[in-house]
Amino acid sequence: MNPDPPPKDVLVDVDDWKINASKGHSNGTARPDDQPGPGFSDVQMDQNSCGKGNLNFDGDDDHQIQSNGYHNYIPAIKARAHFPKPQPPPEEPNVECTQSVSLAESMPDIRKYIRERSITLSAAIVKRLSSLKEYGVGEDFVVENNSLNFEVTEIQIPGVKVIVKLKTEDDRSDLKGRITFFSRSNCRDCTAVRKFLREKRLPYVEINTDVFPKRAKELVERTGKSEVPQIFFNEKLLGGLVTLNSLRNSGELEKRMRELLSQKCPDSAPKIPVYGFDDEEEEEEEKKDELVGIVKMLRQSLPIQDRLIKMKIVKNCFAGDDMLEAIVHHLDCGRRKGIETAKQIARKHFIKHVFGEHDFEDGKHFYRFLEHEPFIPTCFNFRASINDGEPKSPSFLADRLAKLMSAVLEAYASDDRHHVDYYRIGKSEEFRRYLNLTRELQRVDLGSLTPDEKLAFFLNLYNAMVIHAVVTIGHPEGILNRRAFFSDFQYVIGGYPYSLSIIHNGILRNNRKSPYSLVRPFANGDGRLKFAPAKVNPLIHFGLCNGTRSSPTVRFFTARGVEGELRSAAREYFQNGAIEINLERRTVSLTRIINWFSSDFGAEKDVVKWVMNYMDATRAGLLMHLLADGGPVNIVYQDYDWAGNL
């Protein structure tokens, strides 16, 4: 007997929703008609031996999609179990039927039919497809209904993929204009506007003046003020958050949108930022370092070669005496001025002592240019040559880094920061500008930063480097890949190499051994030790995101509020499952981070009391009750999920 032919593709258009059923896909993702990628939650219907179907919902509350080049967040759409009783197909391929009331009210016999016959949607659709095949009906059939109240997004049946797209009043295809709003990073009102537009699934263009500083002048010219957010419908200024809320509450927003956005956006509206353009660094010539001329002369004239020094082969080095003689001859000056010039060149990190013993000293010493350091090829903020521009203020660079990466998260992470869209980050203008900024770190002098500025800078640098690493080399899988991920991905900053492990254990933990390591990150006399804090703050562990599901959520800190922001990060982490209490078993389950870095937290009995400061009132009360009765308390540690926070 010949096997039955495969089921035909089915299109069900029910006015407010669309179903595409096609053969050969047991796993699929709901998506808008014109956009690839995940846009809805998954609904799986599995049919057991009795023919009774089970609905399995799998999806988060929000899913990020792309719309006209910009993103929205679509809430998960859940399915109802009641579907119309399947009818034999008519002779014609197109059938129309209508209902004026909800399915639950107008067709109670369907529920009875389902209960009695144990038939669910999955069985109904399979039966319908089989009947189509049997009766030889055409490939498509259409059912129109103006009142079906289904919220199904995707149905999965072995051999059949059914995709449902729900059309709501938020899908305003008649709006031809563009919504634009000016914003800044870490602005609560801007976040509220962004969230509103995402919930309404309205495509929009966001112009962040921290990312595009030159657009701040345009903002003032168009509005007469610098406050954000400022919302535009095409070229017309709507106003800020107060105006938006007023129109929404009065019910006038829909009317205003149709008045102002029914026409195509004119050229007089705020321009969409374009990748690679509108960059202030491209319009203004970079200020060159005053010592660049001398450095270029030294690069061309000094004899650079490999030498045997202290029983070690040192590559690409030159003698300090040769450098001093070349400077004196080039400047036509005395030896004292030549020494001072050489020290300035070393302080600006153009050259380094081969063993890192000092900056520059007169005598028989050997040096090499920063670009010849062995670690340079492994530094991901190095591009073919060292940045010879005048080093910018470290405070400016630290602030710019935080604002750029905050803008990245606001645009390409979920609202709760648990999920990060690394793919879109890698293609974004914000991230391109961040990469350009990292070149400015090559010769920056971090010594002028205050303790709080250093703390915020290295916390932010760690989180930014993790994002850069995942975008560039991918999320590590397995213990060996993780070790390479945290140790081999490096930046050159102020003339020194910094890996994720160096920042975490060498700087923020004040040169303490990493878990399962026998040696400290820095040897005695390492120049990077001066940037480590005098005392380790255990809260740093809740401000660092290593790109995994069990790590704290990714965030960026400000120098003025870093201490309070770290406390908030710890409070959020512990209130989201990093501690669990079982009164019956007298067990406290803690995040494994505390176990790995136990030397930073102290004894276990003290850790439990310390954690109470960052728990919600209910759990804190339970823990206090557990500790107060004098009985033993068992402390266990949770498993750590190393999967990526994608």
Side-chain angles (χ1 to χ4, degrees):
M1 174 181 284
N2 294 329
D4 291 337
K8 299 182 180 181
D9 291 354
V10 178
L11 172 64
V12 183
D13 196 349
V14 195
D15 189 54
D16 285 342
W17 51 287
K18 181 183 294 182
I19 298 181
N20 288 325
S22 59
K23 158 187 171 294
H25 297 278
S26 60
N27 256 329
T29 307
R31 56 180 63 89
D33 288 346
D34 58 345
Q35 294 293 340
F40 300 83
S41 61
D42 293 340
V43 182
Q44 296 182 342
M45 292 190 175
D46 298 324
Q47 196 174 15
N48 58 24
S49 58
C50 298
K52 184 176 181 179
N54 298 319
L55 291 178
N56 298 319
F57 298 93
D58 182 15
D60 300 323
D61 290 338
D62 291 334
H63 294 270
Q64 193 169 13
I65 69 165
Q66 186 89 5
S67 178
N68 295 333
Y70 297 87
H71 58 277
N72 294 308
Y73 282 80
I74 294 185
I77 304 174
K78 298 181 179 180
R80 294 189 180 184
H82 306 299
F83 276 73
K85 178 180 179 180
Q87 300 292 335
E91 295 295 328
E92 297 296 330
N94 294 328
V95 178
E96 295 185 0
C97 63
T98 59
Q99 292 177 348
S100 58
V101 294
S102 68
L103 185 65
E105 295 175 354
S106 63
M107 303 183 70
D109 56 314
I110 295 178
R111 294 197 299 270
K112 181 179 179 181
Y113 178 81
I114 294 174
R115 288 194 301 268
E116 293 175 349
R117 305 290 295 273
S118 298
I119 297 177
T120 61
L121 174 65
S122 58
I125 293 180
V126 170
K127 182 177 180 180
R128 187 62 174 265
L129 292 175
S130 301
S131 65
L132 285 174
K133 177 177 61 178
E134 178 180 353
Y135 284 89
V137 179
E139 293 185 359
D140 298 332
F141 68 90
V142 177
V143 181
E144 294 185 358
N145 190 306
N146 295 325
S147 63
L148 292 178
N149 193 22
F150 300 149
E151 295 180 344
V152 179
T153 61
E154 182 168 338
I155 309 164
Q156 296 180 8
I157 305 171
V160 177
K161 176 182 177 183
V162 181
I163 298 176
V164 179
K165 180 186 176 185
L166 182 67
K167 294 181 180 179
T168 69
E169 61 179 4
D170 293 331
D171 297 324
R172 301 180 175 92
S173 58
D174 57 326
L175 300 182
K176 302 177 182 179
R178 183 171 71 229
I179 300 175
T180 308
F181 82 95
F182 287 81
S183 68
R184 290 195 183 96
S185 299
N186 300 314
C187 169
R188 291 185 179 181
D189 287 354
C190 298
T191 300
V193 171
R194 189 183 303 111
K195 183 177 181 180
F196 171 79
L197 295 176
R198 288 173 175 174
E199 289 176 348
K200 292 297 182 181
R201 306 179 198 174
L202 293 170
Y204 64 90
V205 174
E206 179 176 356
I207 304 174
N208 188 316
T209 56
D210 286 329
V211 178
F212 308 99
K214 286 190 171 296
R215 303 298 292 271
K217 181 180 179 181
E218 177 188 350
L219 172 64
V220 175
E221 292 174 350
R222 288 181 177 272
T223 66
K225 50 189 174 182
S226 60
E227 289 81 5
V228 291
Q230 295 295 330
I231 308 168
F232 287 80
F233 286 177
N234 283 348
E235 80 284 9
K236 301 294 185 181
L237 174 64
L238 181 71
L241 179 62
V242 174
T243 304
L244 180 65
N245 286 334
S246 176
L247 290 173
R248 180 178 58 179
N249 295 335
S250 64
E252 292 293 318
L253 180 60
E254 184 74 20
K255 179 181 178 182
R256 186 69 62 88
M257 289 176 59
R258 298 195 179 278
E259 289 176 355
L260 300 178
L261 296 175
S262 60
Q263 301 298 323
K264 185 178 179 181
C265 187
D267 293 337
S268 57
K271 303 296 183 184
I272 299 176
V274 181
Y275 184 91
F277 293 90
D278 302 324
D279 198 338
E280 66 276 9
E281 285 80 10
E282 295 176 358
E283 297 182 7
E284 299 177 3
E285 184 178 356
E286 187 179 56
K287 183 180 179 182
K288 294 295 183 181
D289 194 294
E290 59 182 357
L291 297 174
V292 165
I294 301 175
V295 172
K296 287 183 177 180
M297 178 274 299
L298 294 173
R299 287 170 176 161
Q300 297 172 1
S301 61
L302 290 179
I304 300 174
Q305 58 189 25
D306 300 346
R307 290 178 169 85
L308 182 63
I309 306 172
K310 296 182 179 179
M311 303 302 294
K312 295 181 180 179
I313 296 178
V314 180
K315 295 186 175 182
N316 299 321
C317 64
F318 57 85
D321 290 342
D322 293 340
M323 174 180 172
L324 183 57
E325 182 179 344
I327 292 175
V328 170
H329 181 268
H330 180 75
L331 298 179
D332 192 17
C333 64
R335 191 174 184 84
R336 179 177 297 179
K337 183 176 180 180
I339 293 174
E340 182 58 33
T341 302
K343 289 183 177 181
Q344 291 181 16
I345 292 174
R347 282 195 294 267
K348 288 196 172 183
H349 307 295
F350 282 112
I351 65 170
K352 306 288 292 184
H353 187 274
V354 292
F355 298 128
E357 296 175 355
H358 53 256
D359 290 336
F360 181 86
E361 290 183 1
D362 189 9
K364 196 65 174 177
H365 304 288
F366 292 91
Y367 306 87
R368 59 183 155 213
F369 291 106
L370 180 57
E371 57 266 32
H372 293 156
E373 289 285 349
F375 58 78
I376 283 293
T378 66
C379 293
F380 282 77
N381 66 330
F382 173 78
R383 301 180 188 174
S385 63
I386 289 294
N387 181 8
D388 285 340
E390 178 71 21
K392 291 183 172 63
S393 161
S395 298
F396 168 80
L397 293 178
D399 181 66
R400 180 100 172 115
L401 182 151
K403 289 180 177 178
L404 276 175
M405 294 309 292
S406 294
V408 166
L409 291 185
E410 290 167 353
Y412 307 111
S414 60
D415 290 338
D416 59 9
R417 305 293 174 89
H418 286 293
H419 305 283
V420 180
D421 192 340
Y422 294 99
Y423 176 73
R424 293 183 62 214
I425 287 175
K427 300 191 299 180
S428 69
E429 174 65 12
E430 296 93 334
F431 189 66
R432 185 190 73 84
R433 295 190 176 216
Y434 163 76
L435 294 181
N436 288 341
L437 181 71
T438 62
R439 295 190 69 239
E440 301 283 351
L441 299 173
Q442 294 172 0
R443 297 189 301 105
V444 68
D445 182 11
L446 300 178
S448 60
L449 294 176
T450 66
D452 284 347
E453 286 177 331
K454 290 177 186 175
L455 178 60
F457 172 77
F458 281 108
L459 287 169
N460 293 340
L461 182 65
Y462 182 97
N463 292 335
M465 285 178 65
V466 167
I467 293 176
H468 187 182
V470 174
V471 168
T472 304
I473 63 178
H475 195 277
E477 297 181 2
I479 186 171
L480 295 180
N481 287 339
R482 287 197 294 270
R483 186 177 297 276
F485 182 88
F486 292 107
S487 299
D488 295 346
F489 189 90
Q490 299 185 109
Y491 281 2
V492 52
I493 303 172
Y496 292 99
Y498 288 84
S499 66
L500 294 169
S501 181
I502 288 294
I503 294 173
H504 189 182
N505 301 295
I507 301 297
L508 296 174
R509 299 185 62 229
N510 197 3
N511 202 29
R512 293 186 176 180
K513 299 175 184 177
S514 62
Y516 315 114
S517 176
L518 300 178
V519 297
R520 297 177 183 273
F522 299 143
N524 293 334
D526 193 298
R528 293 167 288 187
L529 274 171
K530 60 186 176 184
F531 304 127
K535 183 179 179 181
V536 177
N537 183 349
L539 291 176
I540 59 146
H541 297 289
F542 311 112
L544 300 175
C545 175
N546 59 20
T548 63
R549 294 180 181 176
S550 287
S551 76
T553 55
V554 59
R555 65 182 69 214
F556 293 91
F557 300 86
T558 63
R560 290 182 297 176
V562 61
E563 289 290 343
E565 290 163 1
L566 279 174
R567 288 193 292 270
S568 296
R571 191 173 298 111
E572 175 188 291
Y573 189 57
F574 282 109
Q575 291 179 3
N576 286 333
I579 181 171
E580 298 293 343
I581 303 169
N582 190 317
L583 290 178
E584 294 182 358
R585 297 184 179 182
R586 303 188 60 82
T587 299
V588 177
S589 176
L590 292 173
T591 171
R592 195 164 291 275
I593 292 175
I594 292 179
N595 183 33
W596 288 333
F597 303 100
S598 57
S599 60
D600 300 345
F601 292 95
E604 284 188 341
K605 60 180 181 180
D606 297 326
V607 169
V608 175
K609 296 179 180 178
W610 178 83
V611 168
M612 288 176 58
N613 298 317
Y614 305 99
M615 298 170 59
D616 59 83
T618 301
R619 290 188 180 182
L622 291 175
L623 185 56
M624 186 176 298
H625 174 75
L626 191 63
L627 297 175
D629 62 10
V633 177
N634 300 317
I635 297 178
V636 297
Y637 295 99
Q638 304 167 356
D639 292 334
Y640 195 90
D641 189 350
W642 286 99
N645 59 343
L646 307 175

